[in-house]
Coordinates of all heavy atoms in Angstrom, one line a residue:
M1 N -12.5 8.7 -4.8 CA -11.3 9.3 -5.3 C -10.3 9.5 -4.2 O -9.1 9.8 -4.5 CB -11.6 10.7 -5.9 CG -12.4 10.6 -7.2 SD -11.8 9.5 -8.4 CE -10.4 10.4 -9.1
A2 N -10.7 9.3 -3.0 CA -9.7 9.5 -1.9 C -8.6 8.5 -2.0 O -7.4 8.8 -1.7 CB -10.4 9.3 -0.5
H3 N -8.9 7.3 -2.4 CA -7.8 6.3 -2.5 C -6.8 6.7 -3.6 O -5.6 6.4 -3.5 CB -8.4 4.9 -2.8 CG -9.4 4.9 -4.0 ND1 -10.6 5.4 -4.0 CD2 -9.2 4.4 -5.2 CE1 -11.2 5.2 -5.1 NE2 -10.4 4.7 -5.9
F4 N -7.3 7.3 -4.7 CA -6.5 7.8 -5.8 C -5.5 8.9 -5.3 O -4.3 8.9 -5.5 CB -7.4 8.3 -6.9 CG -6.6 8.7 -8.1 CD1 -5.9 7.8 -8.9 CD2 -6.6 10.0 -8.6 CE1 -5.2 8.2 -10.0 CE2 -6.0 10.4 -9.7 CZ -5.2 9.5 -10.4
A5 N -6.1 9.8 -4.5 CA -5.3 10.9 -4.0 C -4.3 10.4 -3.0 O -3.1 10.8 -2.9 CB -6.2 11.9 -3.3
Q6 N -4.7 9.4 -2.2 CA -3.8 8.8 -1.2 C -2.6 8.2 -1.9 O -1.4 8.4 -1.5 CB -4.5 7.8 -0.4 CG -3.6 7.2 0.8 CD -4.4 6.3 1.7 OE1 -5.6 6.0 1.5 NE2 -3.8 5.7 2.7
L7 N -2.8 7.5 -3.0 CA -1.7 6.8 -3.7 C -0.8 7.9 -4.4 O 0.4 7.8 -4.3 CB -2.3 5.9 -4.8 CG -1.2 5.3 -5.7 CD1 -0.1 4.6 -4.9 CD2 -1.9 4.3 -6.7
K8 N -1.4 9.0 -4.9 CA -0.7 10.0 -5.5 C 0.2 10.7 -4.4 O 1.4 11.0 -4.7 CB -1.6 11.1 -6.1 CG -2.2 10.6 -7.5 CD -3.2 11.6 -8.0 CE -2.6 12.9 -8.4 NZ -3.6 13.8 -9.0
Y9 N -0.3 10.8 -3.2 CA 0.5 11.4 -2.2 C 1.7 10.5 -1.8 O 2.8 11.0 -1.7 CB -0.3 11.7 -0.9 CG 0.4 12.5 0.1 CD1 0.6 13.9 -0.1 CD2 1.1 11.9 1.2 CE1 1.4 14.6 0.8 CE2 1.8 12.6 2.1 CZ 2.0 14.0 1.9 OH 2.7 14.7 2.7
Y10 N 1.5 9.2 -1.8 CA 2.6 8.3 -1.5 C 3.6 8.4 -2.6 O 4.8 8.4 -2.4 CB 2.1 6.8 -1.5 CG 1.2 6.5 -0.3 CD1 0.4 5.4 -0.4 CD2 1.3 7.2 0.9 CE1 -0.5 5.1 0.7 CE2 0.5 6.9 2.0 CZ -0.4 5.9 1.9 OH -1.2 5.6 2.9
L11 N 3.2 8.6 -3.9 CA 4.1 8.7 -5.0 C 5.0 10.0 -4.8 O 6.2 10.0 -5.1 CB 3.4 8.8 -6.3 CG 2.7 7.5 -6.7 CD1 2.0 7.7 -8.1 CD2 3.6 6.3 -6.7
A12 N 4.3 11.1 -4.3 CA 5.0 12.3 -4.1 C 6.1 12.1 -3.0 O 7.2 12.6 -3.1 CB 4.1 13.4 -3.7
V13 N 5.7 11.4 -2.0 CA 6.7 11.1 -0.9 C 7.9 10.3 -1.4 O 9.1 10.6 -1.1 CB 6.0 10.4 0.3 CG1 7.1 9.9 1.3 CG2 5.0 11.3 1.0
L14 N 7.6 9.3 -2.2 CA 8.7 8.5 -2.8 C 9.6 9.4 -3.7 O 10.8 9.3 -3.6 CB 8.1 7.4 -3.7 CG 7.4 6.3 -2.9 CD1 6.7 5.3 -3.8 CD2 8.5 5.5 -2.0
A15 N 9.0 10.3 -4.5 CA 9.8 11.2 -5.4 C 10.6 12.1 -4.6 O 11.8 12.3 -4.9 CB 8.8 11.9 -6.3
R16 N 10.1 12.6 -3.5 CA 10.8 13.6 -2.6 C 12.0 12.8 -2.0 O 13.0 13.5 -1.5 CB 9.9 14.1 -1.5 CG 9.0 15.2 -2.0 CD 8.0 15.5 -0.9 NE 7.1 16.6 -1.3 CZ 6.0 16.9 -0.6 NH1 5.8 16.3 0.5 NH2 5.2 17.8 -1.1
N17 N 11.9 11.5 -1.9 CA 13.0 10.8 -1.2 C 13.9 10.1 -2.3 O 14.5 9.1 -1.9 CB 12.4 9.8 -0.2 CG 11.9 10.5 1.0 OD1 12.7 10.8 1.9 ND2 10.6 10.8 1.1
G18 N 13.9 10.6 -3.5 CA 14.9 10.1 -4.5 C 14.4 9.0 -5.4 O 15.2 8.6 -6.3
I19 N 13.2 8.6 -5.3 CA 12.7 7.5 -6.2 C 12.3 8.3 -7.5 O 11.4 9.1 -7.5 CB 11.5 6.7 -5.7 CG1 11.9 6.1 -4.3 CG2 11.1 5.7 -6.7 CD1 13.0 5.1 -4.3
E20 N 12.9 7.9 -8.6 CA 12.6 8.6 -9.9 C 11.4 8.0 -10.5 O 11.3 6.7 -10.6 CB 13.8 8.5 -10.9 CG 15.0 9.3 -10.4 CD 16.1 9.3 -11.4 OE1 15.9 9.0 -12.6 OE2 17.2 9.5 -10.9
T21 N 10.5 8.8 -10.9 CA 9.2 8.4 -11.6 C 8.5 7.2 -10.9 O 8.4 6.1 -11.6 CB 9.4 8.1 -13.1 OG1 10.3 7.0 -13.3 CG2 9.9 9.3 -13.8
P22 N 8.2 7.3 -9.7 CA 7.5 6.2 -9.0 C 6.1 5.9 -9.6 O 5.5 6.8 -10.2 CB 7.3 6.7 -7.6 CG 7.3 8.2 -7.7 CD 8.2 8.5 -8.8
T23 N 5.7 4.7 -9.6 CA 4.5 4.2 -10.1 C 3.7 3.5 -9.0 O 4.3 2.8 -8.2 CB 4.7 3.3 -11.3 OG1 5.4 4.0 -12.3 CG2 3.4 2.8 -11.9
G24 N 2.4 3.6 -9.0 CA 1.6 2.9 -8.1 C 0.5 2.1 -8.8 O 0.2 2.4 -9.9
V25 N -0.1 1.2 -8.0 CA -1.2 0.4 -8.6 C -2.3 0.3 -7.6 O -2.1 0.1 -6.4 CB -0.7 -1.1 -8.9 CG1 -1.9 -1.9 -9.4 CG2 0.4 -1.1 -9.9
L26 N -3.5 0.7 -8.0 CA -4.7 0.5 -7.2 C -5.3 -0.8 -7.6 O -5.6 -1.0 -8.8 CB -5.7 1.7 -7.5 CG -5.2 3.0 -7.0 CD1 -6.1 4.1 -7.5 CD2 -5.3 3.1 -5.4
E27 N -5.6 -1.6 -6.7 CA -6.2 -2.9 -7.0 C -7.6 -3.0 -6.3 O -7.7 -2.7 -5.2 CB -5.3 -4.1 -6.5 CG -4.1 -4.2 -7.3 CD -3.3 -5.5 -7.0 OE1 -3.7 -6.2 -6.1 OE2 -2.4 -5.8 -7.8
Y28 N -8.5 -3.5 -7.1 CA -9.9 -3.7 -6.6 C -10.2 -5.1 -6.8 O -10.8 -5.5 -7.8 CB -10.9 -2.8 -7.4 CG -10.5 -1.3 -7.5 CD1 -9.7 -0.9 -8.6 CD2 -10.8 -0.4 -6.5 CE1 -9.4 0.5 -8.7 CE2 -10.4 0.9 -6.6 CZ -9.7 1.3 -7.6 OH -9.3 2.6 -7.7
P29 N -9.8 -6.0 -5.8 CA -10.0 -7.4 -6.0 C -11.4 -7.9 -6.2 O -11.6 -8.7 -7.1 CB -9.5 -8.0 -4.6 CG -8.7 -6.9 -4.0 CD -9.2 -5.6 -4.5
K30 N -12.4 -7.3 -5.5 CA -13.8 -7.7 -5.7 C -14.2 -7.4 -7.1 O -15.1 -8.1 -7.7 CB -14.7 -7.1 -4.7 CG -14.5 -7.7 -3.3 CD -15.4 -7.1 -2.3 CE -15.1 -7.7 -0.9 NZ -15.9 -7.0 0.1
L31 N -13.7 -6.3 -7.7 CA -14.1 -5.9 -9.1 C -13.2 -6.5 -10.1 O -13.5 -6.4 -11.3 CB -14.1 -4.4 -9.2 CG -15.1 -3.6 -8.3 CD1 -14.8 -2.1 -8.4 CD2 -16.5 -4.0 -8.6
K32 N -12.1 -7.2 -9.6 CA -11.1 -7.7 -10.5 C -10.6 -6.7 -11.5 O -10.5 -6.9 -12.7 CB -11.7 -9.0 -11.3 CG -12.0 -10.1 -10.3 CD -12.5 -11.3 -11.1 CE -12.9 -12.4 -10.1 NZ -13.6 -13.5 -10.6
Q33 N -10.3 -5.5 -10.9 CA -9.8 -4.4 -11.7 C -8.5 -3.9 -11.0 O -8.3 -4.0 -9.8 CB -10.8 -3.3 -11.7 CG -12.0 -3.6 -12.6 CD -13.0 -2.5 -12.6 OE1 -12.8 -1.4 -12.0 NE2 -14.1 -2.6 -13.3
K34 N -7.7 -3.3 -11.9 CA -6.4 -2.7 -11.5 C -6.3 -1.4 -12.2 O -6.7 -1.3 -13.4 CB -5.2 -3.6 -11.9 CG -4.6 -4.4 -10.9 CD -3.3 -5.0 -11.5 CE -3.0 -6.2 -10.8 NZ -1.7 -6.9 -11.3
E35 N -5.7 -0.4 -11.5 CA -5.5 0.8 -12.2 C -4.1 1.3 -11.9 O -3.7 1.4 -10.7 CB -6.5 1.9 -11.7 CG -6.4 3.2 -12.4 CD -7.4 4.2 -12.0 OE1 -8.4 3.8 -11.3 OE2 -7.2 5.4 -12.4
V36 N -3.3 1.5 -12.9 CA -1.9 1.9 -12.7 C -1.9 3.4 -12.7 O -2.5 4.1 -13.5 CB -1.0 1.4 -13.9 CG1 0.4 2.0 -13.7 CG2 -1.0 -0.1 -13.9
V37 N -1.2 4.0 -11.7 CA -1.0 5.4 -11.6 C 0.4 5.8 -11.9 O 1.3 5.4 -11.1 CB -1.5 5.9 -10.2 CG1 -1.3 7.4 -10.1 CG2 -2.9 5.5 -9.9
N38 N 0.6 6.4 -13.0 CA 2.0 6.7 -13.4 C 2.4 8.1 -12.9 O 1.6 8.9 -12.6 CB 2.1 6.7 -14.9 CG 2.0 5.3 -15.5 OD1 2.6 4.4 -15.1 ND2 1.1 5.2 -16.5
W39 N 3.7 8.2 -12.8 CA 4.3 9.5 -12.3 C 3.9 10.6 -13.2 O 3.9 10.5 -14.4 CB 5.8 9.4 -12.1 CG 6.4 10.6 -11.6 CD1 7.2 11.5 -12.3 CD2 6.2 11.3 -10.4 NE1 7.5 12.6 -11.6 CE2 6.9 12.5 -10.3 CE3 5.4 10.9 -9.2 CZ2 6.9 13.3 -9.3 CZ3 5.4 11.8 -8.1 CH2 6.2 13.0 -8.2
D40 N 3.7 11.8 -12.6 CA 3.4 13.0 -13.3 C 3.9 14.1 -12.4 O 3.6 14.1 -11.2 CB 1.9 13.0 -13.6 CG 1.4 14.3 -14.2 OD1 2.1 15.4 -14.1 OD2 0.4 14.3 -14.9
E41 N 4.6 15.1 -13.0 CA 5.2 16.1 -12.1 C 4.1 16.9 -11.4 O 4.3 17.5 -10.3 CB 6.0 17.1 -13.0 CG 7.3 16.6 -13.5 CD 8.3 16.3 -12.4 OE1 8.3 17.0 -11.4 OE2 9.0 15.3 -12.5
S42 N 2.9 16.9 -11.9 CA 1.8 17.7 -11.3 C 1.4 17.0 -9.9 O 0.8 17.7 -9.1 CB 0.5 17.7 -12.1 OG -0.1 16.5 -12.3
I43 N 1.9 15.8 -9.7 CA 1.6 15.1 -8.4 C 2.3 15.9 -7.3 O 1.7 16.0 -6.2 CB 2.0 13.6 -8.5 CG1 1.1 12.9 -9.4 CG2 2.0 13.0 -7.1 CD1 1.5 11.4 -9.7
L44 N 3.5 16.4 -7.5 CA 4.2 17.1 -6.5 C 3.4 18.4 -6.2 O 3.4 18.8 -5.0 CB 5.6 17.5 -7.0 CG 6.7 16.4 -6.9 CD1 8.0 16.9 -7.5 CD2 6.9 15.9 -5.5
E45 N 2.9 19.1 -7.2 CA 2.1 20.3 -6.9 C 0.8 19.9 -6.1 O 0.4 20.7 -5.2 CB 1.7 20.9 -8.2 CG 2.9 21.5 -9.0 CD 2.6 21.8 -10.4 OE1 1.4 22.0 -10.7 OE2 3.5 21.8 -11.2
D46 N 0.2 18.8 -6.5 CA -1.0 18.4 -5.7 C -0.7 18.1 -4.3 O -1.4 18.6 -3.4 CB -1.6 17.1 -6.3 CG -2.2 17.3 -7.7 OD1 -2.6 18.5 -8.0 OD2 -2.4 16.3 -8.4
A47 N 0.4 17.4 -4.0 CA 0.8 17.1 -2.7 C 1.1 18.3 -1.9 O 0.7 18.4 -0.7 CB 2.1 16.2 -2.7
K48 N 1.8 19.3 -2.5 CA 2.1 20.5 -1.8 C 0.8 21.3 -1.4 O 0.7 21.8 -0.3 CB 3.0 21.4 -2.7 CG 3.6 22.5 -2.0 CD 4.6 23.2 -2.9 CE 5.3 24.4 -2.2 NZ 6.2 25.1 -3.0
R49 N -0.1 21.3 -2.4 CA -1.4 22.0 -2.1 C -2.2 21.3 -1.0 O -2.7 21.9 -0.1 CB -2.2 22.0 -3.4 CG -3.4 22.9 -3.3 CD -4.3 22.9 -4.6 NE -5.0 21.7 -4.8 CZ -4.7 20.8 -5.7 NH1 -3.7 21.0 -6.6 NH2 -5.4 19.7 -5.8
W50 N -2.2 20.0 -1.0 CA -2.9 19.2 0.0 C -2.3 19.5 1.4 O -3.0 19.6 2.4 CB -2.9 17.7 -0.2 CG -3.7 17.4 -1.5 CD1 -4.8 18.0 -2.0 CD2 -3.4 16.3 -2.3 NE1 -5.2 17.4 -3.1 CE2 -4.4 16.3 -3.4 CE3 -2.5 15.2 -2.4 CZ2 -4.4 15.3 -4.4 CZ3 -2.5 14.3 -3.4 CH2 -3.5 14.4 -4.4
E51 N -0.9 19.5 1.4 CA -0.3 19.8 2.7 C -0.6 21.2 3.2 O -0.8 21.4 4.4 CB 1.3 19.7 2.5 CG 1.7 18.2 2.4 CD 3.1 18.1 1.9 OE1 3.7 19.0 1.4 OE2 3.6 16.9 2.0
E52 N -0.7 22.1 2.3 CA -1.1 23.5 2.7 C -2.5 23.5 3.3 O -2.8 24.2 4.3 CB -0.9 24.5 1.6 CG 0.5 24.8 1.2 CD 1.3 25.5 2.4 OE1 0.7 26.3 3.1 OE2 2.4 25.1 2.6
E53 N -3.4 22.8 2.6 CA -4.8 22.7 3.1 C -4.9 22.1 4.5 O -5.6 22.6 5.3 CB -5.6 22.0 2.1 CG -5.8 22.7 0.8 CD -6.5 21.9 -0.3 OE1 -6.9 20.7 0.0 OE2 -6.6 22.3 -1.5
V54 N -4.1 21.1 4.7 CA -4.1 20.4 6.0 C -3.5 21.3 7.0 O -4.1 21.5 8.1 CB -3.3 19.1 5.9 CG1 -3.0 18.5 7.3 CG2 -4.0 18.0 5.1
K55 N -2.4 22.0 6.7 CA -1.8 23.0 7.7 C -2.8 24.1 8.0 O -2.9 24.4 9.2 CB -0.6 23.6 7.1 CG 0.7 22.7 7.1 CD 1.8 23.5 6.5 CE 3.0 22.5 6.2 NZ 4.0 23.1 5.4
N56 N -3.5 24.6 7.0 CA -4.5 25.6 7.3 C -5.6 25.1 8.3 O -6.1 25.8 9.1 CB -5.2 26.1 6.0 CG -4.2 26.9 5.2 OD1 -3.2 27.5 5.7 ND2 -4.4 27.0 3.9
I57 N -6.1 23.9 8.1 CA -7.1 23.3 8.9 C -6.5 23.1 10.4 O -7.2 23.4 11.3 CB -7.6 22.0 8.4 CG1 -8.4 22.2 7.1 CG2 -8.5 21.2 9.4 CD1 -8.8 21.0 6.3
V58 N -5.3 22.6 10.4 CA -4.7 22.3 11.7 C -4.5 23.6 12.5 O -4.7 23.6 13.7 CB -3.3 21.6 11.6 CG1 -2.6 21.6 12.9 CG2 -3.6 20.2 11.0
M59 N -4.3 24.7 11.8 CA -4.1 26.0 12.5 C -5.4 26.7 12.9 O -5.3 27.7 13.6 CB -3.3 26.9 11.5 CG -1.9 26.4 11.2 SD -0.8 26.2 12.6 CE -0.6 27.9 13.0
L60 N -6.5 26.2 12.5 CA -7.8 26.8 12.9 C -7.9 26.7 14.4 O -7.5 25.7 15.0 CB -8.9 26.1 12.2 CG -9.1 26.3 10.7 CD1 -10.2 25.4 10.2 CD2 -9.4 27.7 10.4
E61 N -8.6 27.7 14.9 CA -8.8 27.7 16.4 C -9.9 26.7 16.8 O -9.8 26.1 17.8 CB -9.2 29.1 16.8 CG -9.2 29.3 18.3 CD -9.4 30.7 18.7 OE1 -8.9 31.6 18.0 OE2 -10.0 31.0 19.8
H62 N -10.8 26.5 15.9 CA -11.9 25.5 16.1 C -12.0 24.6 14.9 O -11.7 25.0 13.8 CB -13.3 26.2 16.3 CG -13.2 27.2 17.4 ND1 -13.3 26.8 18.7 CD2 -13.2 28.5 17.5 CE1 -13.2 27.8 19.6 NE2 -13.2 28.9 18.8
C63 N -12.5 23.4 15.2 CA -12.7 22.4 14.1 C -13.7 23.0 13.1 O -14.7 23.7 13.5 CB -13.2 21.1 14.6 SG -12.0 20.2 15.6
P64 N -13.5 22.8 11.8 CA -14.5 23.2 10.8 C -15.8 22.4 11.0 O -15.8 21.3 11.6 CB -13.9 22.9 9.4 CG -12.8 21.9 9.7 CD -12.4 22.1 11.2
M65 N -16.9 23.0 10.5 CA -18.2 22.3 10.6 C -18.1 21.0 9.8 O -17.5 20.9 8.8 CB -19.3 23.2 10.0 CG -19.6 24.4 10.7 SD -20.4 24.1 12.3 CE -22.0 23.5 11.8
L66 N -18.8 20.0 10.4 CA -18.8 18.7 9.7 C -19.7 18.7 8.5 O -20.8 19.3 8.5 CB -19.4 17.7 10.7 CG -19.6 16.3 10.1 CD1 -18.3 15.6 9.7 CD2 -20.4 15.4 11.2
T67 N -19.1 18.3 7.4 CA -19.9 18.1 6.2 C -20.3 16.7 6.0 O -19.4 15.8 5.9 CB -19.0 18.5 4.9 OG1 -18.5 19.8 5.1 CG2 -19.7 18.4 3.6
K68 N -21.5 16.4 6.2 CA -22.0 15.0 6.2 C -22.1 14.5 4.8 O -22.8 15.1 4.0 CB -23.3 14.9 6.9 CG -23.2 15.3 8.4 CD -24.5 15.1 9.2 CE -24.3 15.4 10.6 NZ -25.5 15.3 11.5
L69 N -21.4 13.4 4.6 CA -21.3 12.8 3.2 C -21.8 11.4 3.3 O -21.8 10.7 4.3 CB -19.9 12.8 2.7 CG -19.1 14.2 2.8 CD1 -17.6 14.0 2.5 CD2 -19.7 15.1 1.7
S70 N -22.3 10.9 2.1 CA -22.8 9.6 2.1 C -21.7 8.6 2.3 O -22.0 7.5 2.9 CB -23.5 9.3 0.7 OG -22.6 9.5 -0.3
L71 N -20.5 8.9 2.0 CA -19.4 7.9 2.2 C -18.9 7.9 3.6 O -18.1 7.1 4.0 CB -18.2 8.2 1.3 CG -17.5 9.6 1.3 CD1 -16.4 9.5 2.4 CD2 -16.9 9.9 0.0
C72 N -19.4 8.8 4.5 CA -18.9 8.9 5.9 C -19.2 7.5 6.6 O -18.3 7.1 7.4 CB -19.7 10.0 6.6 SG -19.2 11.6 6.2
K73 N -20.3 6.9 6.3 CA -20.6 5.6 7.1 C -19.5 4.5 6.8 O -19.4 3.6 7.7 CB -22.0 5.1 6.7 CG -23.0 6.0 7.4 CD -24.4 5.5 7.3 CE -25.2 6.4 8.2 NZ -26.6 6.4 7.8
S74 N -18.8 4.6 5.8 CA -17.8 3.6 5.5 C -16.4 4.1 5.7 O -15.4 3.5 5.4 CB -17.9 3.0 4.1 OG -17.8 4.1 3.1
C75 N -16.3 5.3 6.3 CA -15.0 5.9 6.5 C -14.4 5.5 7.8 O -15.0 5.4 8.8 CB -15.2 7.5 6.5 SG -13.7 8.4 6.7
S76 N -13.1 5.4 7.8 CA -12.3 5.0 9.0 C -12.4 6.0 10.1 O -12.1 5.7 11.3 CB -10.9 4.7 8.7 OG -10.7 3.8 7.6
Y77 N -12.7 7.2 9.7 CA -12.7 8.3 10.7 C -14.1 8.6 11.2 O -14.3 9.6 11.9 CB -12.1 9.6 10.1 CG -10.6 9.4 9.7 CD1 -10.3 9.2 8.3 CD2 -9.6 9.3 10.6 CE1 -9.0 9.0 8.0 CE2 -8.3 9.1 10.3 CZ -8.0 9.0 9.0 OH -6.7 8.7 8.6
Y78 N -15.0 7.8 10.9 CA -16.4 8.1 11.2 C -16.6 8.4 12.7 O -17.3 9.3 13.1 CB -17.3 6.9 10.8 CG -18.8 7.1 11.1 CD1 -19.6 7.7 10.2 CD2 -19.3 6.7 12.3 CE1 -20.9 7.9 10.4 CE2 -20.7 6.9 12.6 CZ -21.5 7.5 11.7 OH -22.8 7.7 11.9
E79 N -16.0 7.6 13.6 CA -16.2 7.7 15.0 C -15.6 9.1 15.5 O -16.1 9.6 16.4 CB -15.4 6.6 15.8 CG -16.1 5.2 15.5 CD -17.5 5.1 16.1 OE1 -17.8 5.7 17.2 OE2 -18.3 4.5 15.4
F80 N -14.6 9.6 14.8 CA -14.1 10.9 15.2 C -15.0 12.0 14.8 O -15.3 12.9 15.5 CB -12.7 11.1 14.6 CG -11.6 10.1 15.1 CD1 -11.1 9.1 14.3 CD2 -11.2 10.2 16.4 CE1 -10.2 8.2 14.8 CE2 -10.2 9.4 16.9 CZ -9.7 8.4 16.1
C81 N -15.4 11.9 13.5 CA -16.2 13.0 13.0 C -17.6 13.1 13.6 O -18.1 14.2 13.7 CB -16.3 12.9 11.5 SG -14.7 13.1 10.6
Y82 N -18.1 12.0 14.0 CA -19.5 12.0 14.4 C -19.6 11.8 16.0 O -20.7 11.4 16.5 CB -20.3 10.9 13.7 CG -20.6 11.3 12.3 CD1 -19.6 11.1 11.3 CD2 -21.8 11.8 11.9 CE1 -19.9 11.5 10.0 CE2 -22.1 12.2 10.6 CZ -21.1 12.0 9.6 OH -21.4 12.4 8.3
I83 N -18.6 12.1 16.7 CA -18.6 11.9 18.1 C -19.6 12.7 18.8 O -20.2 12.3 19.8 CB -17.2 12.1 18.7 CG1 -17.1 11.6 20.1 CG2 -16.8 13.6 18.6 CD1 -15.7 11.5 20.7
N84 N -20.0 13.9 18.3 CA -21.0 14.7 18.9 C -22.4 14.4 18.5 O -23.3 14.9 19.0 CB -20.7 16.2 18.6 CG -19.5 16.7 19.2 OD1 -19.1 16.3 20.3 ND2 -18.7 17.6 18.6
D85 N -22.6 13.4 17.6 CA -23.9 13.0 17.2 C -24.4 11.9 18.0 O -25.5 11.4 17.7 CB -23.9 12.6 15.7 CG -23.9 13.8 14.8 OD1 -23.7 14.9 15.2 OD2 -24.1 13.6 13.6
K86 N -23.7 11.4 19.0 CA -24.2 10.2 19.8 C -24.9 10.7 21.0 O -24.8 11.7 21.5 CB -23.0 9.4 20.1 CG -22.4 8.8 18.9 CD -21.3 7.8 19.2 CE -20.9 7.1 17.9 NZ -20.0 6.1 18.1
Ligands
SF4_1 S1 -16.3 10.5 8.3 FE1 -15.2 12.4 8.5 S2 -13.3 12.1 7.4 FE2 -14.7 10.5 6.8 S3 -15.6 11.2 4.9 FE3 -17.0 11.8 6.6 S4 -16.3 13.9 7.1 FE4 -14.6 13.0 5.9

């Protein structure tokens, strides 16, 4: 679902910059599938909430505890999150 949220965030950025009802497409070439993500006003609320969550994390004095997930091994941030596990 992270890819879906990422696209929704991009749509919010486009909308904030004057693009009316932006639309995005998620493509899964290996699965030969496409998913169109249409504009919805709730996307702006989602983006605002995510930004607040990020600000709250950034303002923490210490990094939050790592939540180990099965998807971590394929995540681009793996090296950052697991640096203390080496
Ligand atoms: S590696 Fe880090 S950023 Fe990536 S999914 Fe796991 S906890 Fe989240």
Side-chain angles (χ1 to χ4, degrees):
M1 292 312 284
H3 53 286
F4 184 65
Q6 185 175 359
L7 177 54
K8 283 174 66 175
Y9 189 77
Y10 293 157
L11 296 181
V13 171
L14 290 171
R16 287 173 179 167
N17 285 281
I19 306 298
E20 292 182 23
T21 63
T23 299
V25 178
L26 291 168
E27 291 191 351
Y28 309 95
K30 288 182 182 171
L31 299 174
K32 297 182 179 168
Q33 290 179 358
K34 256 187 204 183
E35 186 176 347
V36 175
V37 179
N38 291 310
W39 178 249
D40 175 333
E41 289 295 324
S42 71
I43 291 173
L44 282 177
E45 294 165 24
D46 290 340
K48 193 172 179 181
R49 191 180 72 251
W50 294 331
E51 288 167 345
E52 285 302 316
E53 290 171 5
V54 168
K55 281 182 196 165
N56 288 338
I57 292 170
V58 169
M59 296 300 289
L60 290 173
E61 193 169 326
H62 300 286
C63 290
M65 293 291 292
L66 175 63
T67 303
K68 295 182 178 183
L69 306 168
S70 60
L71 62 86
C72 290
K73 288 192 173 156
S74 60
C75 177
S76 304
Y77 299 106
Y78 182 87
E79 294 296 322
F80 295 109
C81 293
Y82 287 82
I83 193 163
N84 291 327
D85 280 13
K86 293 187 176 186

